[in-house]
Amino acid sequence: MADVMADIRAEAARLNIDFSAVDWNSVHLPPGEDLGVKSDDDDLNEEDSLEFDAGFGSIIVVDNLPVVPKEKFEKLEGVVRKIYSQIGVIKENGLWMPVEEDTGKTRGYCFIEYNTPQEAELAKEKTNEYKLDKAHIFAVNMFDEIDKFMIVPDTWAPPEDRPYIPGENLQHWLTDEKGRDQFVIRSGSDTEVLWNDARQVKADPVYKRPFWTESFVQWSPLGTYLATVHRQGAAVWGGASTFNRLMRYAHPQVKLIDFSPGEKYLVTYSSHEPSNPRDTHRVVLKIFDVRTGKVMRDFKGSADEFAVGGTGGFNGVSWPVFKWGGGKEDKYFARMGKNVISVYETETFSLIDKKSIKVENVTDFIWSPTDPIFALFAPELGGGNQPARVSLFQIPGKEELRQKNLFSVSDCKMYWQSNGEYLAVKVDRYTKTKKSTYTGFELFRIKERDIPIEVFELDNKNDKVISFAWEPKGHRFAVIHGDNPRPDVSFYSVKGGKVLKLTTLKQKQANALFWSPTGRFIILAGLKGFNGQLEFYNVDELETMATAEHFMATDIEWDPTGRYVATSVTSVHEMENGFNIWSFNGKLLYRIPKDHFFQFLWRPRPPSFLSPEKEEEILKNLKKYSKKYDIQDQDISVLLSEQDREKRKQLKDDWERWVNEWKRNHEEEKMERQTLRDGEASDVEEEYEAKEVEVEELIDVSEQIIQDV
């Protein structure tokens, strides 16, 4: 593969072809030709070939129909046709209900053929377990599934024994002796994984691959896997020394993916054009077991069914469709529908108690990061007769732990603290005249008895709230507020049972907040209109450590240890693409420009296995542990100083070499200069006397005849 790519790049260089400017989607190989490059998706295509070759993907089998005599055949056929024609277009002669040859009675099942496989899948999804009456509950399967069942051999054969092959240590990267962190970047057609070697002031390459993904890459939440997205599905990669493909997940035309917090499951999403232009897009969601690649459950339907909740997606579908709860145990996931919240448990991948939680007019919900508790918001109904409300529900009992009614609500946003100890609810309310709004906060103290709620407002409640962010694992939060071009930034603490303002920073060029993952430090960032203004602030000392600028910065991300920060300019802008690495206190360590830059993602770290007592002991004896690293830092400092000296010496030698070359050329041209100066040999400018010489020059002669008047 590497040799083929090298040949391709060499040929492209010979022809002056810029790889980054090539539209690869427009390149089509002759049928059956692969130029010696085996596709990563070949085996996926082989696995899926049964469905496409058989041609029965549009046919469903409906079982458990009533067995009726031939006198009632037409009536039963009419009932079945009425039910299934509401879901999609049944082909002409596409409904076949077999009968007994001798009696003319129906056999209790029928075959239905639709125009498209998507309509057949929707019919199966909608009518499986459909209750026609007490005695007849439909059992619906795809015809292709029946075909697969029929080829199962009659006699059981024991599975082939395979020798155990130990797998690689997927956490090997955490044992790096230098304690470095990794990150992945995408630029042009290349995807690279690198070490952040901040002490050496550079990025150290780990793995690089062209055309590794067809759209984007994504780390799993604990950093074990790197996921890539392809036309035939998704894949995850990892390993001890390099990145090997560990598993594939077949899902044609996949557009989005999402991991569960504990990395046990992967959700994939695709949407498909409907056969009828007036219909909405068809949506397919699959939940895979990450390790085995097995589909645990799939969900199919129209885009309208998945368009409630979330923050973004395709074709009106909100993403993520499913939100995971219960911390990193991956016990529960939920989605929001019209007037319901459907909570599923992962033991059986079915609804808890086989029914959803009914909540009239619910518009948003969000899980606690640590506990099986979610908060929901339902706006006002009936013109204010039924107030808006925020409720807390505990799973699996579906018990409502706390509820708060809210009046005259314009908008509401909910923010969990990372330990699940606090929930802040930002409420925008209408004034009495309904012409303007003001902002207040409702603070839920989740871990305290009866979950007390505290109400607080900014000093000027009419200030617009631009951004809100909790300190990770802490008791403080920051708010950017104000209507001026330079808003204010305020810091608050909720420790001690009441909200206490710590300080307000006036007129800052900031519209986004980025806390260090370990707390204490925060970046006040001015993105978009502020052109990348950065202020590194110490909240413990309430002082600014540094101010800086990364012109046109679009993204900011702390590394998982809170030691370093990456700021980047992606291809949203045509200029200045690339990324900068900063220390936590605002020192620029190094910058790497990259044309057509798309992504920068730090590799997440799993939680520490150390107990709180052990961590406290390490902190107390930090000086003892740090001696080893102080020596390493000193050695690196000496090495860097030596490298700097070598660089300066090289620059000096280059300069002296140029000066000597100039002197030699100057001496060789001495006679030529003397000739040009009429025999004067000196090069000293002061020895010459400037003289003014008047020169008369005839410019033009014209003759004009003047007539006598």
Side-chain angles (χ1 to χ4, degrees), residues 213-268:
T213 181
E214 294 186 34
S215 55
F216 63 92
V217 294
Q218 183 173 322
W219 292 110
S220 59
L222 304 181
T224 308
Y225 310 105
L226 181 66
T228 56
V229 179
H230 310 272
R231 296 177 189 176
Q232 291 297 324
V236 294
W237 309 70
S241 57
T242 185
F243 282 81
N244 302 310
R245 186 174 53 235
L246 305 175
M247 185 57 63
R248 287 171 165 169
Y249 311 96
H251 188 161
Q253 301 178 42
V254 63
K255 291 184 173 64
L256 295 170
I257 61 173
D258 182 42
F259 283 95
S260 62
E263 300 184 339
K264 294 179 182 177
Y265 306 106
L266 176 71
V267 183
T268 59

Side-chain angles (χ1 to χ4, degrees), residues 258-522:
D258 182 42
F259 283 95
S260 62
E263 300 184 339
K264 294 179 182 177
Y265 306 106
L266 176 71
V267 183
T268 59
Y269 160 90
S270 66
S271 63
H272 308 272
E273 292 284 347
S275 57
N276 188 340
R278 291 174 295 181
D279 295 337
T280 58
H281 281 71
R282 292 277 301 122
V283 168
V284 178
L285 289 145
K286 293 185 179 183
I287 303 179
F288 293 89
D289 183 294
V290 169
R291 291 190 176 184
T292 65
K294 179 183 177 182
V295 178
M296 308 307 296
R297 173 140 188 198
D298 60 6
F299 296 81
K300 300 168 185 175
S302 68
D304 293 340
E305 296 177 50
F306 300 96
V308 183
T311 56
F314 284 90
N315 301 313
V317 173
S318 299
W319 187 257
V321 172
F322 297 112
K323 299 179 182 180
W324 292 88
K328 291 181 170 55
E329 295 181 3
D330 295 346
K331 280 189 174 182
Y332 309 106
F333 63 98
R335 58 168 289 221
M336 186 166 56
K338 186 176 182 181
N339 298 325
V340 296
I341 293 179
S342 302
V343 184
Y344 303 81
E345 47 84 17
T346 54
E347 187 173 346
T348 63
F349 281 85
S350 59
L351 282 170
I352 294 178
D353 298 333
K354 297 185 179 180
K355 58 183 178 180
S356 300
I357 301 172
K358 293 184 178 180
V359 185
E360 194 171 5
N361 205 32
V362 61
T363 59
D364 192 17
F365 82 104
I366 182 170
W367 285 97
S368 162
T370 56
D371 302 304
I373 298 172
F374 66 80
L376 66 83
F377 170 68
E380 297 175 352
L381 281 174
N385 292 328
Q386 182 176 326
R389 69 183 176 107
V390 172
S391 297
L392 294 173
F393 278 84
Q394 189 169 37
I395 300 301
K398 301 182 181 179
E399 175 189 359
E400 188 173 31
L401 301 177
R402 196 71 162 88
Q403 176 180 320
K404 179 64 183 288
N405 290 335
L406 306 169
F407 298 90
S408 301
V409 176
S410 166
D411 190 23
C412 178
K413 292 285 189 297
M414 299 176 289
Y415 305 90
W416 280 98
Q417 182 250 16
S418 63
N419 286 346
E421 297 178 5
Y422 310 104
L423 172 69
V425 181
K426 180 181 76 72
V427 185
D428 295 334
R429 290 182 169 92
Y430 290 109
T431 59
K432 291 183 178 180
T433 62
K434 301 285 186 180
K435 293 182 179 179
S436 60
T437 61
Y438 64 96
T439 301
F441 291 86
E442 311 276 339
L443 179 69
F444 293 69
R445 298 179 182 271
I446 306 298
K447 303 295 184 180
E448 297 182 20
R449 184 177 179 181
D450 296 330
I451 311 181
I453 302 172
E454 184 176 355
V455 180
F456 77 98
E457 295 176 344
L458 302 172
D459 292 341
N460 182 358
K461 67 180 183 181
N462 294 320
D463 274 359
K464 177 184 177 183
V465 174
I466 299 169
S467 184
F468 176 100
W470 282 103
E471 176 186 27
K473 305 175 184 177
H475 56 85
R476 296 174 290 201
F477 62 86
V479 184
I480 301 178
H481 56 94
D483 297 316
N484 299 321
R486 289 172 173 255
D488 299 338
V489 183
S490 295
F491 294 91
Y492 295 84
S493 171
V494 297
K495 197 173 183 180
K498 62 180 295 184
V499 178
L500 174 67
K501 187 172 84 167
L502 302 176
T503 190
T504 295
L505 309 177
K506 296 290 187 179
Q507 296 188 343
K508 293 295 179 180
Q509 288 184 287
N511 53 19
L513 299 164
F514 297 92
W515 282 97
S516 163
T518 58
R520 184 179 178 184
F521 306 114
I522 191 173

Side-chain angles (χ1 to χ4, degrees), residues 168-176 195 239-241:
E168 291 187 90
N169 179 8
L170 300 181
Q171 277 75 40
H172 184 267
W173 64 279
L174 293 169
T175 63
D176 179 59
W195 289 109
S241 57

Side-chain angles (χ1 to χ4, degrees), residues 43-184:
D43 57 350
L44 286 178
N45 290 330
E46 292 168 7
E47 293 172 7
D48 292 340
S49 62
L50 279 176
E51 177 180 346
F52 297 111
D53 293 342
F56 300 123
S58 302
I59 302 175
I60 61 172
V61 183
V62 183
D63 204 355
N64 291 343
L65 292 176
V67 176
V68 300
K70 58 183 178 181
E71 294 82 11
K72 295 184 178 181
F73 179 90
E74 290 187 7
K75 182 177 181 181
L76 177 60
E77 185 185 45
V79 170
V80 173
R81 186 179 296 277
K82 182 177 180 181
I83 293 171
Y84 284 93
S85 61
Q86 295 175 12
I87 299 171
V89 179
I90 300 175
K91 281 190 175 182
E92 186 177 355
N93 300 321
L95 174 56
W96 179 47
M97 194 178 302
V99 297
E100 299 285 354
E101 294 181 4
D102 52 349
T103 63
K105 286 185 177 181
T106 60
R107 295 187 174 185
Y109 60 89
C110 73
F111 300 89
I112 300 174
E113 183 176 7
Y114 284 98
N115 277 337
T116 65
Q118 289 77 19
E119 291 173 327
E121 289 173 355
L122 181 60
K124 174 193 169 185
E125 184 79 16
K126 293 291 186 183
T127 62
N128 189 39
E129 299 185 358
Y130 175 80
K131 191 174 182 180
L132 185 65
D133 55 41
K134 290 183 179 180
H136 300 93
I137 300 175
F138 290 177
V140 185
N141 291 283
M142 302 297 294
F143 186 87
D144 282 347
E145 295 171 346
I146 304 297
D147 192 40
K148 291 177 184 178
F149 299 150
M150 294 299 292
I151 63 175
V152 175
D154 295 331
T155 56
W156 178 82
E160 179 184 352
D161 289 334
R162 296 183 181 179
Y164 171 71
I165 302 175
E168 291 187 90
N169 179 8
L170 300 181
Q171 277 75 40
H172 184 267
W173 64 279
L174 293 169
T175 63
D176 179 59
E177 291 184 354
K178 299 179 181 179
R180 299 173 296 178
D181 280 283
Q182 290 183 354
F183 58 86
V184 63

Side-chain angles (χ1 to χ4, degrees), residues 172-183 194-206 559-561 563-564 590 602-605 629 632 636:
H172 184 267
W173 64 279
L174 293 169
T175 63
D176 179 59
E177 291 184 354
K178 299 179 181 179
R180 299 173 296 178
D181 280 283
Q182 290 183 354
F183 58 86
L194 304 103
W195 289 109
N196 172 36
D197 201 338
R199 291 194 292 179
Q200 295 277 9
V201 197
K202 65 176 183 178
D204 193 8
V206 176
D559 87 324
T561 66
R563 297 176 296 175
Y564 306 104
Y590 60 92
W602 289 104
R603 188 171 193 172
R605 282 179 174 263
Y629 301 103
Q632 291 181 0
I636 291 173

